[in-house]
């Protein structure tokens, strides 16, 4: 059963969950003037990964300067009032229901994997964060990428990475151009799907002491890169928590975030 998350996507038989207008709300936010958007940057939140990041940004905690997307990270950990008005209706009306549904799915997977102790820590010490991602349309020309210096023009819209999560739930399904790395290190194209899709994050790797590796993934630049949205829901330890691996290693939430981010230190 462990093979179900081992270097692969778990495409469940559950239909994708509704987005309740979130893509349009996110696009509206991303099309506001820079000065407006800057009020919601991560540095203003100072909590976990919460807040806004934009293409070309040098100091985002969750994307690199070469990545060609806007992301807005929402979580259980910041007060709803801190988020922009565009995202308030989703947060107020749908966040609780979405994260409840995701928790049920995550619990079922962890239990089926025989990871009872991790399931208990997930239940008691983890919350959720959503990376709501908007990839603006790109011109068809090879180097004509908005906000990106020509030397950084890339075949990718999102660079390869593992997630900081315990599990990542693509609750709205999987969009085109998503790729993941198999056990041989080869990049595979994921089939777009209107199902809930789940994969392992680095916290699952840490808590299983390496038994279940985090899935590396990225987004390629397709033939005609139009507007693209994705919604990745991460289960994450809450501020102030301490987690224990199967082998008995301990880590605090804050050290976990630092350890995850240190892989991008030069
Ligand atoms: O855009 C995608 O399909 C993937 C997004 C992603 O990997 C992330 O938000 O961590
Ligand atoms: Fe990711």
């Amino acid at each position: 059963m462990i093979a179900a998350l081992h270097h692969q996507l778990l495409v469940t038989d559950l239909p994708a969950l509704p987005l309740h207008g979130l893509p349009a709300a996110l696009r509206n936010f991303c099309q506001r003037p820079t000065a407006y958007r800057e009020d919601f940057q991560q540095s203003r939140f100072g909590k976990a990964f919460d807040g806004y990041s934009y293409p070309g940004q040098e100091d985002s905690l969750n994307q690199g300067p070469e990545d060609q997307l806007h992301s807005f990270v929402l979580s259980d950990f910041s007060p709803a009032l801190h988020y922009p008005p565009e995202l308030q209706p989703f947060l107020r009306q749908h966040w609780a229901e979405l994260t409840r549904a995701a928790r049920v799915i995550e619990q079922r997977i962890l239990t089926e994997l025989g990871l009872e102790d991790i399931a208990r820590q997930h239940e008691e010490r983890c919350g959720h964060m959503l990376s709501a991602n908007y990839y603006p349309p790109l011109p068809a020309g090879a180097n004509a990428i908005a906000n990106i210096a020509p030397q950084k023009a890339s075949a990718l819209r999102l660079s390869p990475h593992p997630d900081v999560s315990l599990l990542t739930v693509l609750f709205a399904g999987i969009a085109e151009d998503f790729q993941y790395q198999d056990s041989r290190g080869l990049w595979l194209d994921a089939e777009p799907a209107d199902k809930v899709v789940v994969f392992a994050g680095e916290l699952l790797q840490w808590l299983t002491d390496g038994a279940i590796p985090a899935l590396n993934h990225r987004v390629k630049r397709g033939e005609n890169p139009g507007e693209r949205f994705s919604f990745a829901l991460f289960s994450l330890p809450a501020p102030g928590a301490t987690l224990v691996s199967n082998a008995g290693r301990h880590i605090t939430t804050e050290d976990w975030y630092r350890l995850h981010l240190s892989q991008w230190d030069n």
Side-chain angles (χ1 to χ4, degrees):
M1 186 53 100
I2 284 194
L5 283 184
H6 212 267
H7 295 293
Q8 60 187 296
L9 296 166
L10 174 56
V11 181
T12 72
D13 54 8
L14 303 167
L17 302 176
L19 281 162
H20 302 290
L22 188 55
L26 178 64
R27 186 205 287 115
N28 287 345
F29 173 82
C30 294
Q31 292 178 346
R32 298 296 304 267
T34 311
Y36 177 89
R37 288 180 276 132
E38 278 174 354
D39 277 348
F40 299 96
Q41 282 190 64
Q42 272 172 337
S43 52
R44 297 289 176 94
F45 280 78
K47 185 63 96 181
F49 301 86
D50 295 350
Y52 170 63
S53 305
Y54 51 87
Q57 187 180 340
E58 296 281 345
D59 63 347
S60 168
L61 297 174
N62 61 303
Q63 64 186 60
E66 69 280 20
D67 293 336
Q68 298 160 30
L69 72 159
H70 303 254
S71 66
F72 210 113
V73 174
L74 314 166
S75 84
D76 289 325
F77 313 131
S78 292
L81 273 173
H82 289 191
Y83 295 98
E86 290 82 357
L87 303 179
Q88 290 287 335
F90 178 82
L91 276 167
R92 288 173 197 278
Q93 297 162 33
H94 305 293
W95 177 257
E97 187 189 355
L98 170 64
T99 55
R100 254 197 315 272
R103 190 176 286 280
V104 171
I105 296 166
E106 292 152 357
Q107 279 288 315
R108 207 165 78 200
I109 291 170
L110 293 171
T111 307
E112 280 177 17
L113 290 168
L115 302 170
E116 277 79 13
D117 192 60
I118 294 173
R120 187 183 50 77
Q121 297 186 68
H122 166 271
E123 184 63 32
E124 293 174 359
R125 300 176 205 162
C126 288
H128 287 95
M129 94 173 203
L130 171 61
S131 187
N133 304 321
Y134 174 59
Y135 299 73
L138 296 172
N143 285 333
I145 296 176
N147 291 312
I148 308 285
Q151 67 274 18
K152 286 189 178 164
S154 153
L156 299 176
R157 293 174 100 175
L158 175 60
S159 44
H161 64 280
D163 287 341
V164 65
S165 60
L166 177 54
L167 293 172
T168 295
V169 178
L170 300 174
F171 65 91
I174 196 151
E176 60 189 13
D177 300 328
F178 185 99
Q179 297 185 311
Y180 63 98
Q181 206 169 24
D182 74 6
S183 56
R184 298 161 299 170
L186 298 177
W187 285 98
L188 305 181
D189 289 308
E191 198 64 40
D194 289 329
K195 304 282 189 204
V196 175
V197 175
V198 182
F199 59 86
E202 280 200 310
L203 184 57
L204 187 57
Q205 177 173 329
W206 195 91
L207 288 172
T208 60
D209 306 289
I212 303 184
L215 189 76
N216 278 319
H217 53 287
R218 67 186 189 185
V219 177
K220 72 178 182 190
R221 177 187 166 92
E223 280 292 289
N224 263 318
E227 197 173 54
R228 184 181 186 279
F229 291 93
S230 66
F231 299 91
L233 189 67
F234 291 19
S235 37
L236 271 188
T242 297
L243 299 175
V244 188
S245 80
N246 284 344
R249 295 181 299 146
H250 287 61
I251 196 161
T252 64
T253 297
E254 289 66 29
D255 281 347
W256 171 247
Y257 294 167
R258 270 192 286 277
L259 183 62
H260 169 79
L261 290 171
S262 68
Q263 66 191 296
W264 288 283
D265 289 349
N266 296 314

